[in-house]
C-alpha cells in the first residue's frame, strides 16, 4: 500500500513540475504584452525574452530524459538559467512573478536536498526583492523582508527535503521489490531444476528397483526351479519322489511368473490411466481386501487435487508395495490406509496390526521392497518413515510435495 502511495505522489509531483511553467509563462506573457501604451519594440523584447524562457524550459527540462533529470549538474545549470530569465522578465514587467514561482517548484529537481533549499532561497529572494523592493536599512524593513524570505524558504524547503526522502524511500522499495522478484524467479528456476533432477533420479531409482526386483524374486525363483529339477533328476527312478520335486519346481515357476507380471505392471499402473489417485487407491484397496480377506479401511482427507504423474505413480506404487508386504509378511487382521491433502503436501499412511519387524532409525534395513519404496519417494522430492516393532504392527508414512499436474 505504501509503495502505491509513494508511486502516486511521485507521479503527481512530476506532472505538476511539467505543467507549471507552461501555465504561468503564457498567462504572464499575455498580460504583459496586452497592457496599452507600450511601444512595439517593448512588446517585441518581452515576447523575445518569453520565447527564450520557453525554449530554455523546453530544451533543458521538458525534453530532457529521466536519467538527465536525476543528475545534479544538468539540473543545477537549468535552475540557474531559469532564475536568470525570471530576473530578466521581471525587469520587463512584474507580472512575470507568476512565472518566477516556477523556481519554487523546479527546486524539487535539485539533489541533494540542500541544493533544492538553496534554489528555493534564491527564488524567494528574487521574488520578494522585485515585489517588496530593496529593504531600507531599518529594523522593521529588514525584519519584514528577511522574515518573509525565511518563512517562505523554510516552508517550501521542508517540502523539498521531504520529497527527496519520500523519493529515496520509494526508490529503495522498488529496488527491494525487484530483488525479491529476482529471488522468486531464481527460486522458481531452482525448484524446476530440482524437479527435473528428481525425475532423473526417479528413472535411476526405477532401474535400480527393477534390478533388485529381478534379483530378489525372479533370479531366486529360477535358482529354486533349477535346484528342484536337478533333485528330480537324481531320483527319477522313484516317480513319487521325482513328482514331489517337479511339483515344487512348478510352484516356483508360477510364483516367478506372477512376480514378473507384477514387476512389468509396476512400470505403468493402468489404474491411474483411468482415474486420479484417490479413485485408483480405492480400487486397489477393494481388490486387495477381496483377494486377501483382510479388513481394510481407506480414508481421504482434504481437497483432492490432480497431481503430476510422477507423484501419483509414486504414491500408488508405495501403497501397492505396502499392501503386498502386508499380505506376504505381516499376518495382519486389519489394515488402514489414509490419503491426506494439505496445503502444499500429500501424505500417505499405511498401518497394519501384524507381527511387525525390527527397524533402525525409522528405516527397514532388509528387503529390497521397502528400500525401493523409499527410493521411489525420494525420486519425487518426498520422504518416507517406517515405525514398527516385533508384535506391534507396522506404520509407513509418506510425505511428498503436492506438485500440480500443470506444473513444469
Amino acid at each position: 500500500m505504501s509503495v502505491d502511495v509513494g508511486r502516486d505522489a511521485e507521479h503527481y509531483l512530476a506532472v505538476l513540475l511539467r505543467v507549471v511553467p507552461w501555465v504561468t509563462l503564457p498567462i504572464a506573457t499575455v498580460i504583459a504584452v496586452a497592457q496599452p501604451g507600450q511601444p512595439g519594440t517593448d512588446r517585441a523584447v518581452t515576447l523575445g525574452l518569453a520565447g527564450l524562457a520557453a525554449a530554455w524550459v523546453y530544451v533543458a527540462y521538458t525534453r530532457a530524459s529521466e536519467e538527465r533529470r536525476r543528475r545534479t549538474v544538468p539540473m543545477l545549470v537549468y535552475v540557474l538559467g531559469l532564475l536568470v530569465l525570471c530576473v530578466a522578465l521581471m525587469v520587463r514587467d512584474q507580472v512575470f512573478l507568476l512565472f518566477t514561482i516556477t523556481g519554487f517548484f523546479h527546486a524539487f529537481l535539485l539533489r541533494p536536498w540542500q541544493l533544492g533549499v538553496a534554489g528555493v532561497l534564491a527564488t524567494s529572494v528574487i521574488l520578494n526583492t522585485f515585489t517588496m523592493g530593496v529593504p531600507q536599512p531599518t529594523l522593521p524593513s529588514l525584519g519584514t523582508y528577511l522574515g518573509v524570505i525565511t518563512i517562505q524558504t523554510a516552508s517550501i524547503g521542508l517540502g523539498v527535503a521531504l520529497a527527496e526522502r519520500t523519493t529515496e524511500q520509494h526508490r529503495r522499495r522498488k529496488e527491494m521489490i525487484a530483488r525479491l522478484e529476482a529471488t522468486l524467479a531464481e527460486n522458481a528456476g531452482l525448484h524446476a531444476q530440482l524437479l527435473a533432477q528428481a525425475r532423473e533420479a526417479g528413472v535411476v531409482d526405477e532401474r535400480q528397483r527393477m534390478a533388485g526386483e529381478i534379483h530378489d524374486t525372479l533370479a531366486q525363483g529360477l535358482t529354486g526351479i533349477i535346484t528342484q529339477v536337478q533333485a528330480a533328476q537324481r531320483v527319477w527312478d522313484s516317480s513319487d519322489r521325482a513328482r514331489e520335486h517337479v511339483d515344487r519346481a512348478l510352484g516356483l515357476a508360477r510364483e516367478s511368473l506372477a512376480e514378473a507380471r507384477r514387476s512389468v505392471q509396476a512400470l505403468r499402473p493402468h489404474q491411474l490411466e483411468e482415474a486420479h489417485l484417490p479413485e485408483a487407491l480405492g480400487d486397489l484397496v477393494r481388490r486387495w481386501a477381496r483377494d486377501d480377506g483382510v479388513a481394510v479401511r481407506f480414508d481421504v482427507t482434504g481437497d483432492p487435487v490432480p497431481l503430476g504423474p510422477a507423484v501419483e505413480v509414486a504414491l500408488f506404487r508405495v501403497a501397492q508395495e505396502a499392501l503386498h508386504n502386508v499380505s506376504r509378511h505381516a499376518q495382519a487382521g486389519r489394515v488402514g490406509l489414509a490419503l491426506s491433502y494439505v496445503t502444499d503436501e500429500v501424505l500417505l499412511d499405511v498401518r497394519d496390526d501384524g507381527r511387525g519387524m525390527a527397524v533402525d532409525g525409522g528405516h527397514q534395513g532388509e528387503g529390497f521392497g521397502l528400500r525401493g519404496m523409499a527410493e521411489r519417494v525420494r525420486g519425487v522430492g518426498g520422504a518416507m518413515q517406517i515405525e514398527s516393532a516385533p508384535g506391534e504392527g507396522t506404520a509407513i508414512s509418506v510425505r511428498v510435495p503436492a506438485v500440480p499436474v500443470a506444473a513444469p
Side-chain angles (χ1 to χ4, degrees):
M1 182 66 180
S2 59
V3 175
D4 294 337
V5 172
R7 185 185 298 112
D8 291 341
E10 187 176 1
H11 172 72
Y12 293 144
L13 177 61
V15 171
L16 186 63
L17 294 182
R18 286 196 299 268
V19 169
V20 165
W22 301 112
V23 172
T24 57
L25 181 60
I27 293 175
T29 302
V30 170
I31 294 175
V33 299
Q35 294 179 11
Q38 295 185 72
T41 55
D42 289 348
R43 287 191 174 93
V45 171
T46 301
L47 288 173
L49 286 174
L52 181 61
W56 179 254
V57 173
Y58 181 77
V59 173
Y61 172 67
T62 304
R63 295 293 298 175
S65 63
E66 290 294 333
E67 189 274 335
R68 183 179 178 84
R69 292 177 188 173
R70 296 191 188 99
R71 292 165 55 188
T72 299
V73 174
M75 289 299 99
L76 181 60
V77 172
Y78 162 69
V79 171
L80 289 176
L82 176 69
L83 294 179
V84 170
L85 290 168
C86 288
V87 170
L89 287 168
M90 290 188 70
V91 169
R92 300 296 304 170
D93 198 316
Q94 285 194 11
V95 73
F96 284 101
L97 68 86
L98 294 174
F99 177 62
T100 305
I101 294 174
T102 303
F104 288 134
F105 290 95
H106 283 194
F108 283 81
L109 299 171
L110 299 176
R111 296 290 184 273
W113 64 268
Q114 291 88 344
L115 281 179
V117 174
V120 172
L121 175 61
T123 304
S124 181
V125 170
I126 294 171
L127 193 65
N128 289 286
T129 299
F130 275 93
T131 55
M132 299 171 59
V134 178
Q136 298 295 323
T138 61
L139 184 60
S141 179
L142 286 174
T144 301
Y145 178 78
L146 295 177
V148 170
I149 292 176
T150 301
I151 294 175
Q152 202 170 55
T153 302
S155 58
I156 301 176
L158 178 62
V160 171
L162 292 177
E164 179 176 350
R165 180 180 178 183
T166 302
T167 302
E168 180 64 18
Q169 289 177 344
H170 179 50
R171 183 187 64 80
R172 291 179 179 177
R173 289 192 186 99
K174 288 173 64 176
E175 291 179 353
M176 181 180 66
I177 292 173
R179 288 196 299 268
L180 288 175
E181 290 177 347
T183 301
L184 289 175
E186 183 179 358
N187 288 341
L190 290 175
H191 181 64
Q193 183 178 358
L194 288 175
L195 287 178
Q197 292 176 351
R199 286 194 292 268
E200 293 175 0
V203 173
V204 176
D205 290 343
E206 182 66 13
R207 291 174 179 173
Q208 294 177 349
R209 187 192 71 80
M210 290 298 297
E213 193 84 15
I214 292 173
H215 177 271
D216 289 350
T217 58
L218 300 182
Q220 292 180 6
L222 292 174
T223 301
I225 292 172
I226 293 172
T227 301
Q228 293 300 323
V229 171
Q230 289 174 343
Q233 287 177 338
R234 287 195 295 268
V235 294
W236 195 254
D237 294 336
S238 175
S239 59
D240 293 337
R241 295 173 62 186
R243 183 185 298 276
E244 181 181 349
H245 290 296
V246 171
D247 289 341
R248 290 177 183 174
L250 182 60
L252 288 172
R254 288 172 177 168
E255 291 179 4
S256 298
L257 179 59
E259 292 291 346
R261 287 173 175 169
R262 189 175 69 85
S263 298
V264 172
Q265 290 173 354
L267 296 175
R268 185 178 181 87
H270 66 84
Q271 293 90 340
L272 289 176
E273 295 179 354
E274 303 171 355
H276 289 300
L277 184 61
E279 294 82 4
L281 287 180
D283 180 64
L284 172 67
V285 167
R286 285 190 296 272
R287 289 188 293 102
W288 184 87
R290 182 189 63 221
D291 296 339
D292 285 67
V294 178
V296 183
R297 177 173 178 176
F298 175 52
D299 296 312
V300 179
T301 60
D303 296 326
V305 295
L307 302 174
V311 176
E312 290 198 340
V313 169
L315 291 175
F316 182 85
R317 289 310 181 197
V318 167
Q320 189 178 48
E321 186 68 28
L323 293 176
H324 178 70
N325 288 340
V326 171
S327 64
R328 291 185 60 185
H329 308 294
Q331 299 177 0
R334 289 180 300 174
V335 177
L337 192 147
L339 180 65
S340 303
Y341 291 84
V342 293
T343 304
D344 55 357
E345 291 182 323
V346 180
L347 312 179
L348 176 67
D349 296 291
V350 183
R351 301 175 182 270
D352 67 72
D353 62 354
R355 62 181 185 178
M357 58 186 174
V359 296
D360 180 15
H363 295 282
Q364 173 67 7
E366 301 296 336
F368 189 86
L370 291 175
R371 293 200 304 273
M373 291 162 61
E375 291 171 357
R376 186 188 290 274
V377 171
R378 285 196 300 270
V380 293
M384 187 178 82
Q385 184 177 8
I386 302 173
E387 297 179 0
S388 184
E392 297 183 6
T394 302
I396 299 176
S397 299
V398 174
R399 183 186 300 267
V400 298
V403 180
V405 69

